[in-house]
Amino acid sequence: MKNYIATILMSLSLLFVSSLASAAAVEIELVIKDHLFFPAEVEVPAGQKVKLRIINQDPTPEEFESYELNREKVIAGNRQTVIFIGPLSPGEYPFFGEFYPKTAQGKVIAK
Ligand SMILES: [Cu+2]
């Protein structure tokens, strides 16, 4: 009987952990290199919170900036950061690197 209860408790906790995992935000990587964003077009699921990990591979700092996403954050050279965006309505949300705006351009596309 004790084993039976332990088995039930264990499967319940596994269910709980897996539902937590599926509720966690989607994570997407965005790399800055040579003052460009890779990928320049970032596809994200609409209607969901998204974790955007921004990895600056340049030795110089860059500022991720987007009026449409209402986000701005400085990433030091050779460092990374995380920002949360969304849930977004379907559409396009431009962003740029404020320190190198001529080259560092991209957009989030929510579908
Ligand atoms: Cu700014």
Side-chain angles (χ1 to χ4, degrees), residues 63-65 67 71-74 96 98-99:
E63 186 179 73
F64 176 91
E65 171 120 28
Y67 304 127
R71 290 288 179 280
E72 76 179 322
K73 191 153 188 185
V74 174
F96 61 98
E98 194 167 6
F99 300 158

Side-chain angles (χ1 to χ4, degrees), residues 15-26 48:
L15 269 178
F16 181 67
V17 167
S18 59
S19 67
L20 275 184
S22 61
V26 178
Q48 280 186 44

Side-chain angles (χ1 to χ4, degrees), residues 54-95:
I54 308 172
I55 302 163
N56 186 4
Q57 294 184 353
D58 284 335
T60 48
E62 182 54 284
E63 186 179 73
F64 176 91
E65 171 120 28
S66 173
Y67 304 127
E68 289 77 3
L69 295 166
N70 192 27
R71 290 288 179 280
E72 76 179 322
K73 191 153 188 185
V74 174
I75 310 111
N78 296 312
R79 291 286 183 274
Q80 52 176 277
T81 193
V82 162
I83 61 170
F84 285 90
I85 58 173
L88 297 171
S89 306
E92 297 191 353
Y93 302 81
F95 58 81

